[in-house]
Amino acid sequence: MTVVKRDPQRDLADLIDTISERALFARLETVRLISIAKTGHYASGFSCAEILATLYYGVMRLRRGEPDWPERDRFLFGKGHAAATLYPLLADWGFFDPRELDEYTRLGNAFGDHPDMTRIPGIDFSSGSLGHALSTGTGIALGTRMRGYDSNVFVLLGDGELHEGQIWEAALGAAHHQVSNLIAIVDRNDHSLDGRIDTVTGIEPLEDKWRAFGWQAHRVDGHDVAALLALLRSVVADTARTSPVVIIADTVKGKGISYMEAEFGWHLGWLAEQDERNAIEELRRGR
Amino acid sequence: MSIAPGLQPESWHLLTLLDRAPGLHALADTLADLVDEGHPILAGTADLKYSNGLVRFQERHPDHYVQFGISEQHMVSTAAGLATTGWQPHVATFASFLALLACEQIRTDVAYTRLPVRLIGHHAGITLGYYGTSHHATEDLAITRSIAGLTVIAPADAAQLRSALRAATDWPGPIYFRIGRGQDPDVYDHDDRGFTIGRAIEHSTGSDLTIIATGSMVHPALSAAAVLEAEGISTGVLDMHTVKPLDADAVSRAAARSGVILTVEEHSVLGGLGGAVAEVVAGHGHGARVVRHGLRDEYALVGPPTHLYRHYGLDTDGIVHAARTALG
């Protein structure tokens, strides 16, 4: 019998490659799904592709093909409008047949622009109406803890979503109840529908705000897979933490496609055929 | 306070309320008993544990109690999250703040997801009389009734509340419980074992008139029926404790045998019990008239609850008067 000696550095580099490749896959699938629907949220999905891929392939405790495993970690998509970027990853985990996505948004299909927990295996809570997910996530984190599981609950929030008052109710409540298995990630892509966040309603200084609410706060480049992975893994490994944790992930809205990065109007859109081919080219090249 | 002759002032501060609120004892004690019996029940409130009596639940089961502070939307959404992990959360606050302030959380996080959350809207109707319009809940039935998949139950007294909470333990979807201030006079003198969600309790049948009442209005409706019967008016009374799903069969039978149906509710006549009954009668025909008795298109005055009941005809005399008017 040959024993293969594993090289942790090599393994980590492979994992980072895998995550980056899965982020690209999620972007390409987003383009494909929006092509079926003929309208959708490219830019919001692209800004969080590395965050989603890092969570699903490098951080979360999941069981392949078992979306309801009670001891799993949970993921809640506060900015549910970017669901098209998440669905391909759930299919990849064997939670449903990826071919189901071929009928994305068609009449009666389970897969719409916002995720529906009652119809899509692997969606831990429905979302779409902004501001709810930090509360529902608090409930799930409390509930799993009271059941005796050590599940972590990850909630991805949009930065525009932080305008919602319920976010701050949840921030107070989760800190008060020391819901330390709740980890919020803010996709800080600096834009909401009407423009740059600071021209709509300013939200900085964000880390100070969360810390003042009793949270542990970190900031990271949301497209740097190695940095995201290291930070998320260190948070998860810190089992002595007593407060909820927030990670402000600085991202670029429309990341990966030059004209989407430059123009906030791509919050909602549809690329016509030739543009779509160019977009796929750009994504593949990694610009 | 200037009051009308013959009316007694009410001493009625929230912190002293509990001693005189058997209905609220019923809420806390039943939930605590259900925990003892092994049901996965949690109870929570938004800074109102003295008002709704859950302080008694907290004393017995501190590990099953969650204090949310004054954050109704967060409370409802959190309850939904808790329910996904196998718990059956009961969250309670004033009906106005539950059904109106947290309406979208109820619809999107609790009802659309079909989770077994129990929403306890207490001090419903005008029971918070002189606290004013912000604290009156005269739209909650209309709101909750229109939310798909949400069951709506308004028990008539403490005994029926106990029965309803028990009946709900194996009810699969979400429920909105509409209760008063826990001081409704007893309609049922013991735990009402015959209680079934969705099935009205037929107290009597009448060929002239059927009064269909819900919640706090069942007691005065029964008294009013006795007065009308003594006058020779054949009067039936239905306790429509479940406003949704409405017992359409019971309504239809009442419409078939009575010329007039009088609905009575401590709620706006727009979209509540009266609306629900009218929808059934309109659909089933039978030629009965439906007269809806409750608050009109208006905000209730400020005042002690019993005075308001008299002012709006939501007491025995008022219901008798409404019945006579309806019969022409």
Side-chain angles (χ1 to χ4, degrees):
Chain A
M1 194 172 77
T2 317
V3 177
V4 180
K5 190 162 167 31
R6 292 169 69 94
D7 174 355
Q9 286 305 322
R10 186 65 248 154
D11 286 353
L12 182 63
D14 285 349
L15 179 59
I16 290 168
D17 280 351
T18 300
I19 291 170
S20 303
E21 185 274 324
R22 293 287 85 184
L24 171 61
F25 162 73
R27 284 192 175 92
L28 292 171
E29 277 291 284
T30 303
V31 172
R32 184 176 78 88
L33 297 183
I34 293 176
S35 175
I36 295 171
K38 300 206 165 33
T39 179
H41 297 86
Y42 294 103
S44 304
F46 291 171
S47 71
C48 62
E50 280 80 15
I51 299 169
L52 294 175
T54 303
L55 285 171
Y56 273 87
Y57 297 94
V59 178
M60 285 170 67
R61 186 175 62 189
L62 299 169
R63 272 190 187 166
R64 200 175 159 69
E66 261 191 77
D68 296 327
W69 179 40
E71 295 180 46
R72 72 191 184 280
D73 286 343
R74 308 303 205 272
F75 175 74
L76 284 78
F77 212 174
K79 41 174 284 174
H81 53 273
T85 310
L86 174 64
Y87 295 149
L89 305 183
L90 301 181
D92 211 31
W93 268 94
F95 295 158
F96 53 81
D97 185 338
R99 281 173 300 187
E100 291 188 44
L101 292 175
D102 295 349
E103 298 293 311
Y104 176 69
T105 68
R106 296 278 156 77
L107 180 66
N109 186 272
F111 299 88
D113 233 14
H114 299 89
D116 180 348
M117 65 185 274
T118 67
R119 301 193 62 195
I120 301 175
I123 295 295
D124 289 318
F125 210 96
S126 304
S127 60
S129 182
L130 298 175
H132 298 206
L134 199 59
S135 298
T136 49
T138 299
I140 296 173
L142 275 171
T144 52
R145 190 166 80 182
M146 292 166 82
R147 288 234 165 266
Y149 305 139
D150 60 347
S151 305
N152 286 307
V153 178
F154 298 91
V155 183
L156 182 55
L157 304 169
D159 50 1
E161 184 175 10
L162 302 187
H163 292 152
E164 292 280 7
Q166 190 181 349
I167 291 285
W168 302 101
E169 293 183 7
L172 278 174
H176 175 82
H177 289 289
Q178 298 190 311
V179 188
S180 55
N181 55 334
L182 180 67
I183 299 158
I185 303 166
V186 177
D187 182 1
R188 182 77 174 101
N189 64 26
D190 201 31
H191 290 83
S192 58
L193 195 48
D194 279 359
R196 285 180 57 95
I197 294 284
D198 60 5
T199 67
V200 177
T201 295
I203 56 174
E204 292 288 351
L206 267 184
E207 291 144 279
D208 291 349
K209 283 194 174 72
W210 287 95
R211 284 192 186 118
F213 275 70
W215 288 54
Q216 194 191 118
H218 305 274
R219 197 145 193 155
V220 68
D221 176 344
H223 298 301
D224 182 339
V225 170
L228 272 172
L229 185 65
L231 177 55
L232 280 160
R233 284 188 157 183
S234 77
V235 167
V236 168
D238 175 18
T239 51
R241 64 190 190 272
T242 54
S243 63
V245 179
V246 66
I247 294 170
I248 317 296
D250 288 304
T251 60
V252 175
K253 190 149 179 169
K255 176 72 176 177
I257 296 186
S258 51
Y259 46 90
M260 287 189 190
E261 292 182 16
E263 171 53 60
F264 79 86
W266 277 99
H267 180 87
L268 255 181
W270 174 42
L271 292 163
E273 208 171 310
Q274 182 57 43
D275 296 332
E276 190 179 300
R277 275 200 295 276
N278 293 339
I280 290 169
E281 269 306 299
E282 246 195 88
L283 288 172
R284 286 228 164 95
R285 277 204 311 275
R287 293 184 47 241
Chain B
M1 187 193 319
S2 108
I3 55 169
L7 291 174
Q8 296 302 309
E10 295 180 56
S11 163
W12 202 66
H13 188 275
L14 286 172
L15 294 178
T16 61
L17 174 68
L18 266 184
D19 293 339
R20 300 184 288 116
L24 298 175
H25 291 182
L27 171 66
D29 297 349
T30 306
L31 293 180
D33 290 348
L34 290 170
V35 173
D36 288 339
E37 294 165 27
H39 294 278
I41 281 171
L42 303 175
T45 187
D47 199 40
L48 285 177
K49 69 178 178 181
Y50 297 103
S51 303
N52 55 34
L54 285 180
V55 62
R56 290 164 66 97
F57 178 91
Q58 181 192 15
E59 284 162 5
R60 283 177 59 185
H61 292 292
D63 293 344
H64 287 246
Y65 168 81
V66 186
Q67 171 62 264
F68 287 95
I70 308 164
S71 59
E72 293 78 10
Q73 298 174 346
H74 171 61
M75 176 172 78
V76 170
S77 298
T78 302
L82 284 163
T84 68
T85 60
W87 296 100
Q88 200 180 68
H90 291 62
V91 291
T93 187
F94 288 147
S96 56
F97 304 147
L98 191 55
L100 280 85
L101 180 57
C103 171
E104 199 240 356
Q105 285 74 13
I106 292 173
R107 185 272 233 157
T108 307
D109 297 340
V110 172
Y112 176 52
T113 53
R114 301 195 286 270
L115 291 166
V117 173
R118 279 69 179 106
L119 306 150
I120 318 279
H122 53 83
H123 292 79
I126 48 178
T127 50
L128 281 168
Y130 48 71
Y131 286 66
T133 298
S134 60
H135 285 55
H136 297 164
T138 54
E139 308 87 353
D140 59 322
L141 287 177
I143 291 167
T144 54
R145 194 168 79 79
S146 69
I147 294 176
L150 183 60
T151 295
V152 180
I153 300 175
D157 67 358
Q160 197 175 60
L161 173 60
R162 278 188 220 105
S163 305
L165 290 167
R166 285 191 168 277
T169 54
D170 58 359
W171 188 257
I175 303 177
Y176 175 70
F177 286 101
R178 179 188 219 239
I179 62 178
R181 55 175 166 156
Q183 294 175 303
D184 295 309
D186 289 343
V187 175
Y188 304 99
D189 58 5
H190 54 81
D191 277 13
D192 169 30
R193 303 289 178 191
F195 179 92
T196 304
I197 294 174
R199 189 171 305 158
I201 295 172
E202 200 168 68
H203 283 271
S204 55
T205 57
S207 54
D208 297 321
L209 172 80
T210 302
I211 302 175
I212 303 181
T214 193
S216 58
M217 291 295 107
V218 173
H219 191 274
L222 288 165
S223 308
V227 173
L228 293 164
E229 282 284 340
E231 293 177 7
I233 299 169
S234 173
T235 306
V237 177
L238 287 186
D239 170 0
M240 194 62 76
H241 50 71
T242 306
V243 176
K244 186 190 168 198
L246 192 77
D247 189 342
D249 292 341
V251 172
S252 193
R253 286 196 302 273
R257 71 177 166 250
S258 308
V260 175
I261 289 178
L262 179 71
T263 62
V264 185
E265 59 195 311
E266 190 183 341
H267 184 272
S268 169
V269 295
L270 303 172
L273 174 70
V277 167
E279 288 162 16
V280 170
V281 174
H284 287 240
H286 303 302
R289 278 180 65 221
V290 176
V291 176
R292 295 164 299 145
H293 187 52
L295 288 145
R296 316 307 300 180
D297 186 10
E298 65 192 318
Y299 294 100
L301 298 172
V302 160
T306 51
H307 303 194
L308 289 170
Y309 291 151
R310 176 169 297 187
H311 179 82
Y312 291 107
L314 296 173
D315 56 4
T316 303
D317 292 347
I319 296 169
V320 167
H321 178 73
R324 287 195 195 115
T325 307
L327 288 163

